[in-house]
Amino acid sequence: MSSAAPPTDPHRRPSTPPTVEVRTIDHVPENERHGKARDLFTVWFGSNIMLLTVASGVASTVAFGLPIWAAAIALVIGHLVGGVVMALHAAQGPQMGVPQMLQTKAQFGSYGSLLVVIIVVLMYLGFFASNMVLGGQAISYLFHWNVKPSIILIGLISVIAAIVGYKLIHALAGLLSIVSGAVLVLAFVWTFGVNGVPETAFSSGTVTMAGFMSTVTLGAVWQIAYAPYVSDYTRYMPKGTGTKPAFWATYSGAVLGSLFPMLLGAVAGAAMATDDTVAAISGVTHGIGGLVVAVFGIAIGCTNAMNLYCGSLSTITVGQTFFPKWLPQARGRAVVASLLFLAALGMALLGADNFLTYFTNFMTLLMCALIPWTAVNLVDYYLLRHGEYHIGSLFMRDGGHYGKVNYPAVICYVVGILVQLPFIVTAMFEGPLAKAMNHTDISWIVGLVIVCPLYYLLMRKNSGLNTGPLQPGPPTATVSSVGAVGATMPDAVATVVAEPSPTVGHGADATEGPTA
């Protein structure tokens, strides 16, 4: 059975740049783990300070019509609540050493997980396209270029970072934590201390339950939307990182990094009375507007690289489900990332003229699809299996110990979507109960409240909680196949022969088989 090669593997191709990440969805062995919990703060703080975050704040006062003070309260509530759900996923990466969407097979089964993973890929494409639009608008504003070529340029920058991979994305986010963080502080100082906010901005807007809850939802879904790829940026971290340090570093970085740009956007939207994010932010920071737009626009490249990188891993997860021996590496990830870029580019060019409307509807529908998944995932990890999973089964076509379809999870996912529909509010569809509550959207709350206990009870009643007896460990790609689009796992690994290897779990007894 093949094992992961150490960094000094003699079979590594000399021409492969050491900065390019080799692995995709294969398990990261402990001798390749590195980093500290504090690194999670910078990756989430730096990557969130960008124009799309500001645009979400603009929506709170322009699209939802709230006064600044009400928008601020709603955004704080949304981020604080949604951040908890998102950050709980952070501990799964160091513990399991595989991407987040691959882990979904343990809850839904190898084929049962496909619908969820495909929806998540569409989510990445939606965010990627949204970021390209705003980044393109920023470049067009600064250099007076045509918007469409500017959109393409932003996308290409993100593709390069996604191809290089994990380490470059972490490094860029760390740099942006300093640069974008400083510019964010400067933007607040300039808005309130130098230019001043017009008094009319504080008196405009009307507090409505619909607008308030929509803004809470916007803040919450911003955080929860990261849940499907939190582990992608923690899977290289040492197994001993710890649940609490990983949670708090992720939570604080994501909440602070997104809340304050949204608050700035809320003020800018009310002050400038426009849904054009670039015009609004440059207006309230007049004098340094070019600097603010440039830095927040460039930061989009880093965040979009994260979306494209994780979208590539999720797409590879779908392919590997049908072809268990297939485990592409650097070149394969580059090909997948390029194809996803082309798909997102088409979406961006088509939706550029009505960006804010499309984006807010996209976020609402996204929440509806993500809520039942995150409920199932967290209940399974923390309450049922307590972090103990058989990693080798995640790479098997028949799902190994988890089977092809875990019907309780699939049932909960479908039920979770259906129970939200009566409470949802979008431009395309409004649920009858939401309409009866004066157009107030509480769908995500209903979804969480129903799915969490339902999945717990169904799985407790079901006999499928075993992590299984000791089986071969997780498949790992040999580094000698770096760069091959169709690099395959050794047959002995793919077929999972009966060679003892531990399951993954917490504590010293985690290798002793099922405990649930």
Side-chain angles (χ1 to χ4, degrees):
M1 175 171 149
S2 175
S3 61
T8 56
D9 178 34
H11 298 292
R12 182 188 293 271
R13 290 185 180 180
S15 61
T16 301
T19 53
V20 176
E21 181 187 2
V22 174
R23 300 192 178 279
T24 54
I25 64 172
D26 47 322
H27 177 261
V28 180
E30 292 191 41
N31 66 339
E32 293 185 21
R33 306 289 187 92
H34 58 275
K36 298 183 182 297
R38 63 172 176 265
D39 298 333
L40 299 178
F41 176 87
T42 56
V43 78
W44 295 111
F45 183 78
S47 62
N48 272 291
I49 305 175
M50 58 166 179
L51 282 179
L52 186 61
T53 327
V54 177
S56 299
V58 170
S60 67
T61 50
V62 176
F64 301 138
L66 292 179
I68 292 175
W69 65 267
I73 294 174
L75 287 171
V76 168
I77 294 172
H79 281 291
L80 292 180
V81 175
V84 172
V85 177
M86 174 265 196
L88 283 172
H89 292 277
Q92 299 175 19
Q95 179 64 16
M96 300 177 70
V98 294
Q100 188 79 60
M101 281 296 99
L102 187 68
Q103 299 171 24
T104 299
K105 293 184 179 183
Q107 292 97 41
F108 289 83
S110 59
Y111 291 144
S113 67
L114 290 177
L115 175 61
V116 180
V117 179
I118 291 171
I119 288 175
V120 167
V121 172
L122 295 176
M123 177 197 79
Y124 293 132
L125 291 177
F127 274 117
F128 193 87
S130 300
N131 276 319
M132 278 197 292
V133 170
L134 281 177
Q137 290 175 348
I139 291 178
S140 177
Y141 169 82
L142 291 171
F143 301 106
H144 306 290
W145 294 352
N146 188 276
V147 173
K148 290 185 177 180
S150 301
I151 289 174
I152 295 173
L153 177 60
I154 283 291
L156 290 174
I157 293 172
S158 304
V159 170
I160 293 171
I163 289 173
V164 175
Y166 181 91
K167 286 187 177 181
L168 178 59
I169 292 172
H170 263 272
L172 288 175
L175 176 63
L176 288 173
S177 291
I178 299 172
V179 177
S180 299
V183 171
L184 179 63
V185 172
L186 184 62
F188 271 105
V189 171
W190 217 263
T191 298
F192 288 95
V194 177
N195 291 333
V197 179
E199 291 185 6
T200 53
F202 293 100
S203 59
S204 63
T206 303
V207 180
T208 63
M209 181 59 70
F212 187 86
M213 287 305 301
S214 294
T215 303
V216 170
T217 297
L218 189 64
V221 74
W222 183 272
Q223 297 295 332
I224 296 174
Y226 285 125
Y229 61 78
V230 174
S231 285
D232 295 1
Y233 294 100
T234 62
R235 73 190 197 280
Y236 278 94
M237 304 198 77
K239 191 173 177 181
T241 299
T243 300
K244 288 183 179 179
F247 173 87
W248 286 113
T250 301
Y251 182 80
S252 57
V255 170
L256 294 175
S258 52
L259 175 59
F260 284 100
M262 285 195 190
L263 293 176
L264 180 63
V267 173
M272 305 307 296
T274 177
D275 62 0
D276 185 328
T277 301
V278 173
I281 197 67
S282 59
V284 295
T285 60
H286 179 70
I288 60 166
L291 172 66
V292 175
V293 171
V295 172
F296 289 0
I298 292 172
I300 282 178
C302 174
T303 306
N304 243 10
M306 294 176 69
N307 290 323
L308 190 58
Y309 174 82
C310 299
S312 300
L313 298 185
S314 296
T315 302
I316 291 170
T317 297
V318 174
Q320 193 274 337
T321 301
F322 295 103
F323 305 100
K325 294 184 180 182
W326 181 60
L327 196 67
Q329 298 184 328
R331 190 180 300 173
R333 187 177 64 244
V335 171
V336 174
S338 299
L339 293 175
L340 292 178
F341 159 66
L342 293 176
L345 179 61
M347 294 169 61
L349 295 178
L350 290 173
D353 294 335
N354 296 291
F355 164 72
L356 197 60
T357 300
Y358 288 139
F359 177 67
T360 51
N361 287 324
F362 166 70
M363 291 289 279
T364 303
L365 293 174
L366 175 63
M367 175 70 94
C368 183
L370 285 184
I371 282 297
W373 166 80
T374 195
V376 166
N377 181 275
L378 293 178
V379 169
D380 193 85
Y381 185 88
Y382 286 101
L383 300 182
L384 294 173
R385 303 188 199 271
H386 308 290
E388 297 184 9
Y389 293 88
H390 183 256
I391 302 301
S393 293
L394 303 180
F395 294 87
M396 299 173 67
R397 181 183 295 175
D398 64 2
H401 298 303
Y402 307 112
K404 292 182 179 179
V405 178
N406 180 25
Y407 289 101
V410 174
I411 290 170
C412 286
Y413 187 77
V414 174
V415 168
I417 292 178
L418 292 177
V419 298
Q420 291 182 82
L421 293 180
F423 300 91
I424 201 169
V425 177
T426 70
M428 297 174 288
F429 171 78
E430 181 177 13
L433 296 181
K435 187 179 295 185
M437 294 187 297
N438 196 26
H439 314 287
T440 302
D441 189 331
I442 60 168
S443 57
W444 62 282
I445 300 174
V446 174
L448 281 175
V449 168
I450 291 178
V451 174
C452 286
L454 177 62
Y455 180 69
Y456 182 85
L457 292 174
L458 287 178
M459 286 298 287
R460 274 299 180 191
K461 190 175 181 179
N462 190 42
S463 60
L465 284 182
N466 280 345
T467 56
L470 299 185
Q471 291 286 332
T476 53
T478 56
V479 185
S480 59
S481 58
V482 170
V485 176
T488 60
M489 293 179 290
D491 288 342
V493 175
T495 56
V496 192
V497 296
E499 177 183 340
S501 178
T503 54
V504 174
H506 290 296
D509 298 328
T511 62
E512 296 180 4
T515 60

